[in-house]
């Protein structure tokens, strides 16, 4: 029963980085001291761009959280085999495999929680 589902990914701080990029872009444009009538159009375009980036990030984080939930759901199916294990089990490697499944759930739960925290954090700022 060798089933490894975990991914080796470092935690992502993507949402903060994207916000920083939008803020830096806005600051550069504002510091350009444009004295033309297009200034208001440029400000509006930057606002629309920021809103589009925010929606894209939200969609991505919701998708990531849903993906992690589905991963946990699939792993739980394999964990049903735990009910069939006995103290007289001859193949002890099964215990290690079950431990790895629990590890995979922990990783998926952590990644899902991080995605949801990014969503919460995006709603604050």
């Amino acid at each position: 029963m060798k089933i490894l589902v975990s991914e080796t990914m470092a935690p992502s701080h993507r949402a903060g980085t994207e916000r920083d990029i939008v803020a830096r872009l806005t600051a550069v444009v504002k510091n350009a001291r444009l004295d033309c009538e297009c200034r208001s159009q440029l400000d509006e375009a930057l606002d629309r761009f920021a809103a589009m980036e925010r929606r894209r990030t939200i969609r991505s984080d919701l998708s990531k959280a849903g993906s992690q939930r589905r991963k946990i759901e699939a792993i739980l199916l394999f964990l049903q085999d735990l009910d069939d294990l006995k103290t007289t089990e001859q193949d002890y490697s099964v215990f290690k495999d079950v431990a790895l499944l629990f590890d995979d759930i922990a990783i998926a739960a952590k990644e899902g929680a991080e995605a949801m925290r990014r969503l919460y954090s995006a709603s604050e700022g």
Side-chain angles (χ1 to χ4, degrees), residues 65-81:
S67 172
Q68 298 310 312
R69 182 201 54 81
R70 287 185 295 280
K71 185 181 291 186
I72 290 169
E73 193 174 88
I75 295 168
L76 287 173
L77 291 174
F78 292 112
L79 278 178
Q80 289 178 357
D81 292 343

Side-chain angles (χ1 to χ4, degrees), residues 35-46:
D35 292 330
C36 61
E37 292 180 22
C38 67
R39 179 57 188 230
S40 64
Q41 290 177 324
L42 184 56
D43 288 341
E44 289 173 13
L46 282 171

Side-chain angles (χ1 to χ4, degrees), residues 14-30:
R14 181 194 73 245
T17 303
E18 290 169 353
R19 261 194 307 262
D20 293 342
I21 290 170
V22 170
R24 286 195 311 265
L25 179 61
T26 301
V28 166
V29 170
K30 288 188 189 247

Side-chain angles (χ1 to χ4, degrees), residues 44-61:
E44 289 173 13
L46 282 171
D47 289 343
R48 284 193 309 273
F49 176 73
M52 284 175 23
E53 274 301 296
R54 198 170 24 260
R55 283 190 304 271
R56 188 183 65 75
T57 300
I58 288 169
R59 275 192 308 273
S60 174
D61 285 330

